[in-house]
Amino acid sequence: MNTAMPFLRKIFIKTYGCQMNAHDSERLAAMLRTFGHEIVDCEDDADVYILNTCSVRERAEIKAVGKSRYLSRKKLRKNNALLGIVGCMAENLAENLFKLNPGIDFIIGPRRISELPAILAGENVGRVALLGEAHSEDAGESARDFSSAKICASVSIMQGCNMRCSYCIVPKTRGPESYRPMDSIIAECETLVQNGTKEITLLGQIVNNYGQGVLEYGSGKSPFVQLLERIDDIAGLERIRYMSPHPKGFREDLIEAHSSLSKLCPSVHLPIQSGSDRVLRAMRRPYTRARILSIVESLRAAVPNIALTTDVIVGYPGEREEDFSMTVDLLNAVKFNMAFVFKYSPRAGTLSASLPDDVGADEKDRRNKILLDMVQKCSIGHNETMIGHGVEVLVEGHAKRGENKLCGRTRGGDKVIFDGQDRLIGQLVNVKIMDSAITILRGKLIEI
Ligand code: 5AD
Ligand code: SF4
């Protein structure tokens, strides 16, 4: 029998990248706590530093490598401290990371994160790299700390991505798609709701691919829509969101779900990437601008005020001025509430990495700025239209600034700040919008 005391650690986790990564960090923290480790908010208090990293653009990697070098200097001043890189950059740069920063002790890819507690169990960790495969039965989705269930929680429904968009590193870092069993997702949602969660965001690289080729269609409904229907039935849950769908599989059943499911929020993040069919083809995105316009038209017919957001890449190899104009044109035609604009960043190991990155930094900057200006105007315009209206807000907590200020979101996803008492946190309230800025709305509680 092993009677040795487990080696308990104070662990600091810093997260880069998308919601999926934030969710992985949450799960990782919960898992480590169950092993008796403590998660600390301040790196100075820690004896294990973990960076959960992103590889989607070069800049994200440069930042994380820089931070790791800073932490490895800090580590030298402590006895027995450890530095680990987990997540997408760990998978992408693999053992090269040990060369970039010899102070790194372990690297763990996104599919192997649940093996971290075992690594920390020993006093002498040594150099470890856990990369590649490993999708557990439940796609790595067991640990969750329900005792601290949040008002708005994320639930991962799948891992990985089967598409091959020419620019994207994610299929390399997160591997092929694997789907969680539907019953397990439902059970997790139910337990969250029993513990106080009011809003659930379903997460996946392409959520509307959920269950494809594995689960059956029923009455013309995709497995993803069937999942939405079952979650919509959970008593006590108020809102459902999902992130992100792909335009490719955005069919009538999902559009119809937006009008028939009362808890499904009227907001969709629909990444278009470009408005030029030529560039979309080059990116291997299997849809056209006409298809985007038709999805938007159907969504708006089903839910008139649906909030639409998107992702766009500028400066893809060979993107000509006329291609860019088509993107401007599509953004103008759709009037997204918000768009995230990215300058193309070549990623080694992707299909487009072999193409000349020929748009040039200055031109990418110019195109980026034009789109950001447009987006800002759209966002300001949208926020102004909200003034004077009463909206339903799910109160998430205290606003970052201001005494007695609470913050929450509308069903469309707009952030609202208003005066109110703590007892309202976790409740749905009605707020009249009085004023707006670029990213927030300010309002007044409507007493009932
Ligand atoms: N360069 C720039 N942006 C990228 N994205 C993905 N890969 C790249 C890349 N190589 C953007 C896409 C995606 C978002 C998460 O990041 O717009 O939707
Ligand atoms: Fe998320 Fe993609 Fe970045 Fe990985 S590479 S953290 S999946 S955005």
Side-chain angles (χ1 to χ4, degrees):
M1 191 170 73
N2 183 3
T3 49
M5 283 290 287
F7 203 70
L8 297 183
R9 298 287 200 164
K10 291 186 176 205
I11 303 174
F12 169 78
I13 305 174
K14 181 171 170 63
T15 311
Y16 298 84
C18 62
Q19 276 198 350
M20 196 75 97
N21 247 25
H23 182 68
D24 287 349
S25 287
E26 254 179 52
R27 269 178 41 227
L28 179 60
M31 209 186 316
L32 292 167
R33 279 197 198 100
T34 64
F35 280 81
H37 301 291
E38 187 185 340
I39 305 298
V40 296
D41 292 334
C42 174
E43 59 199 36
D44 289 328
D45 299 335
D47 55 19
V48 177
Y49 311 113
I50 296 174
L51 300 182
N52 188 8
T53 56
C54 173
S55 280
V56 82
R57 285 169 290 278
E58 191 186 14
R59 227 165 71 95
E61 290 195 343
I62 293 172
K63 259 168 71 180
V65 170
K67 181 77 179 175
S68 83
R69 290 192 174 124
Y70 167 80
L71 289 174
S72 53
R73 287 193 293 276
K74 226 176 218 290
K75 196 184 88 163
L76 289 178
R77 295 195 290 274
K78 295 203 174 181
N79 229 350
N80 229 332
L82 294 171
L83 169 61
I85 307 293
V86 306
C88 289
M89 186 178 78
E91 189 71 41
N92 190 36
L93 300 183
E95 279 87 353
N96 290 327
L97 276 169
F98 292 134
K99 288 184 211 138
L100 283 168
N101 179 1
I104 294 171
D105 298 288
F106 57 88
I107 56 177
I108 306 180
R111 287 165 273 172
R112 307 286 295 274
I113 283 181
S114 55
E115 293 170 51
L116 179 61
I119 293 185
L120 294 182
E123 193 166 342
N124 295 313
V125 168
R127 266 199 174 173
V128 188
L130 298 177
L131 302 168
E133 225 158 315
H135 274 312
S136 74
E137 275 258 291
D138 200 357
E141 278 304 314
S142 45
R144 174 133 223 171
D145 184 1
F146 290 106
S147 65
S148 61
K150 294 199 210 138
I151 295 158
C152 302
S154 316
V155 171
S156 164
I157 64 169
M158 60 195 286
Q159 300 282 324
C161 178
N162 287 348
M163 302 294 286
R164 285 290 172 274
C165 301
S166 62
Y167 51 83
C168 187
I169 197 75
V170 174
K172 176 181 170 194
T173 61
R174 290 188 175 261
E177 282 174 10
S178 77
Y179 314 113
R180 284 182 73 188
M182 206 182 283
D183 287 345
S184 152
I185 301 172
I186 300 295
E188 184 177 350
C189 293
E190 283 173 344
T191 315
L192 282 167
V193 173
Q194 281 154 18
N195 283 278
T197 292
K198 297 283 168 58
E199 176 178 308
I200 287 177
T201 301
L202 302 178
L203 290 183
Q205 226 62 53
I206 303 185
V207 282
N208 47 339
N209 257 8
Y210 172 76
Q212 291 298 321
V214 179
L215 301 174
E216 301 285 318
Y217 272 63
S219 327
K221 287 175 187 162
S222 66
F224 180 59
V225 170
Q226 294 171 40
L227 175 68
L228 289 174
E229 289 182 340
R230 284 186 62 186
I231 298 176
D232 199 68
D233 281 341
I234 299 176
L237 179 66
E238 300 287 356
R239 294 173 169 185
I240 309 168
R241 301 185 194 277
Y242 56 85
M243 179 105 181
S244 299
H246 193 294
K248 183 188 128 213
F250 212 105
R251 301 223 173 77
E252 207 41 56
D253 60 336
L254 183 49
I255 293 167
E256 157 63 24
H258 273 276
S259 39
S260 63
L261 302 182
S262 63
K263 295 175 186 170
L264 189 56
C265 285
S267 84
V268 175
H269 181 71
L270 190 68
I272 60 166
Q273 312 300 357
S274 171
S276 152
D277 287 346
R278 202 181 68 85
V279 172
L280 287 172
R281 249 194 327 274
M283 289 175 163
R284 300 171 53 111
R285 299 281 292 178
Y287 53 85
T288 57
R289 60 181 283 123
R291 174 81 187 118
I292 296 289
L293 286 167
S294 115
I295 294 172
V296 169
E297 195 185 337
S298 310
L299 272 171
R300 286 194 170 138
V303 187
N305 284 321
I306 195 157
L308 299 175
T309 55
T310 194
D311 289 345
V312 179
I313 297 177
V314 293
Y316 183 79
E319 184 188 68
R320 302 180 197 130
E321 188 58 37
E322 60 261 36
D323 296 310
F324 175 64
S325 302
M326 302 285 275
T327 301
V328 171
D329 200 62
L330 187 56
L331 289 184
N332 269 328
V334 175
K335 298 223 175 342
F336 288 97
N337 294 47
M338 175 68 195
F340 300 91
V341 184
F342 304 106
K343 290 184 264 184
Y344 171 71
S345 167
R347 310 306 295 127
T350 61
L351 288 163
S352 64
S354 58
L355 302 173
D357 183 15
D358 55 2
V359 174
D362 289 349
E363 184 56 22
K364 278 186 198 169
D365 274 344
R366 188 186 73 88
R367 293 179 190 178
N368 186 47
K369 189 165 179 317
I370 291 173
L371 294 194
L372 287 180
D373 284 351
M374 280 178 64
V375 168
Q376 208 178 71
K377 282 199 188 101
C378 249
S379 176
I380 293 172
H382 160 75
N383 285 354
E384 279 170 358
T385 65
M386 301 294 286
I387 296 176
H389 288 274
V391 289
E392 179 203 275
V393 174
L394 174 59
V395 188
E396 292 174 30
H398 297 114
K400 280 200 191 108
R401 266 167 296 203
E403 231 173 283
N404 296 329
K405 293 253 183 266
L406 299 177
C407 78
R409 282 182 196 274
T410 64
R411 283 170 57 80
D414 295 322
K415 195 168 174 187
V416 181
I417 295 186
F418 61 98
D419 283 326
Q421 292 169 353
D422 285 13
R423 67 180 167 80
L424 297 177
I425 294 173
Q427 310 277 319
L428 288 173
V429 296
N430 291 313
V431 174
K432 183 174 178 187
I433 303 304
M434 311 300 290
D435 187 15
S436 75
I438 301 172
T439 54
I440 55 150
L441 301 171
R442 288 190 206 87
K444 213 167 82 184
L445 200 60
I446 304 172
E447 308 285 352
I448 13 169

